[in-house]
Amino acid sequence: DAQTTKQFYSITPFEVNQTTYVSCKQPKDTLFAYHYPQCELENRIGDKIRYVRLMAGYTQSELAKRLDIDRVTLIRLENNQVSDWNMKTDLLVEIATTCGFERTYCCDAYHTFIANNSGAQIEADRNEHKLTQQRLADMLGVCRTTIRRWEKNRDKPSPDKLVILFPQQFGTLYY
């Protein structure tokens, strides 16, 4: 018989708001979750993922299992070791909804745009400016089929192309 060793954690509850208390298994998680909502800076995607996981009461292993991903993948996401642009929008939406948050909570502006039918928005903007797919493709330095794939949500534009397409909305994107 192999002996199973369980690791025990001291659980520290803290008040999130007047009706919600959260218990984290690691003291550093308690500190993070307590200070996260009060942070004035724009939180990175990894911070958002960690926050929703903690608020839902999941360990990294539990959430990874629910999402059917490897725990190491979740750790890399939470530690911002994956470029924001390499993160899959569908996974960010699934993380947020699995943890009981609004579907785009873990998304930045780019992923929110992709999650909210970006193809229709691109097509509407193109039509509003009376551009053909070919003309828009020439302006962006891509081929016409790329524009068609964007409009059908079969592919997603890179952040640098979104800055050109929607400068008011994405002019401050870093890439």
Side-chain angles (χ1 to χ4, degrees):
D1 284 330
Q3 246 184 352
T4 304
T5 305
K6 286 190 175 182
Q7 188 170 8
F8 293 95
Y9 302 95
S10 101
I11 297 179
T12 310
F14 66 92
E15 186 175 350
V16 175
N17 58 41
Q18 293 177 346
T19 59
T20 306
Y21 286 85
V22 171
S23 296
C24 296
K25 295 179 181 176
Q26 296 286 344
K28 65 182 179 180
D29 287 343
T30 302
L31 188 63
F32 173 85
Y34 180 74
H35 289 290
Y36 176 88
Q38 301 156 5
C39 184
E40 293 178 13
L41 300 174
E42 181 73 25
N43 292 301
R44 304 261 333 250
I45 291 175
D47 296 333
K48 293 177 182 182
I49 293 169
R50 183 176 177 199
Y51 179 74
V52 299
R53 175 182 61 79
L54 292 173
M55 292 298 101
Y58 291 123
T59 63
Q60 289 171 328
S61 296
E62 292 167 340
L63 182 57
K65 186 175 181 178
R66 291 197 81 152
L67 298 170
D68 197 27
I69 63 172
D70 188 69
R71 179 177 163 265
V72 173
T73 300
L74 183 60
I75 290 169
R76 291 186 69 236
L77 290 170
E78 284 189 3
N79 290 331
N80 295 304
Q81 293 174 341
V82 177
S83 161
D84 290 349
W85 312 122
N86 288 331
M87 291 188 186
K88 296 190 182 303
T89 303
D90 293 343
L91 179 58
L92 296 175
V93 169
E94 187 178 2
I95 290 169
T97 55
T98 298
C99 293
F101 282 72
E102 188 270 325
R103 64 188 292 275
T104 58
Y105 186 87
C106 293
C107 298
D108 57 8
Y110 174 74
H111 291 287
T112 298
F113 179 78
I114 299 300
N116 290 322
N117 197 5
S118 58
Q121 295 175 61
I122 292 170
E123 184 175 12
D125 189 66
R126 179 179 60 79
N127 290 332
E128 180 182 320
H129 290 92
K130 299 180 180 8
L131 296 171
T132 63
Q133 287 181 341
Q134 185 60 56
R135 179 71 181 118
L136 181 59
D138 292 342
M139 291 170 60
L140 295 174
V142 298
C143 62
R144 185 187 60 78
T145 56
T146 299
I147 301 296
R148 187 179 74 232
R149 291 181 63 78
W150 292 350
E151 290 181 355
K152 300 292 183 191
N153 291 314
R154 292 189 186 127
D155 204 353
K156 61 184 179 182
S158 63
D160 61 321
K161 300 302 183 199
L162 284 183
V163 169
I164 296 168
L165 282 169
F166 304 102
Q168 295 82 11
Q169 186 176 356
F170 296 105
T172 60
L173 280 180
Y174 57 94
Y175 51 90

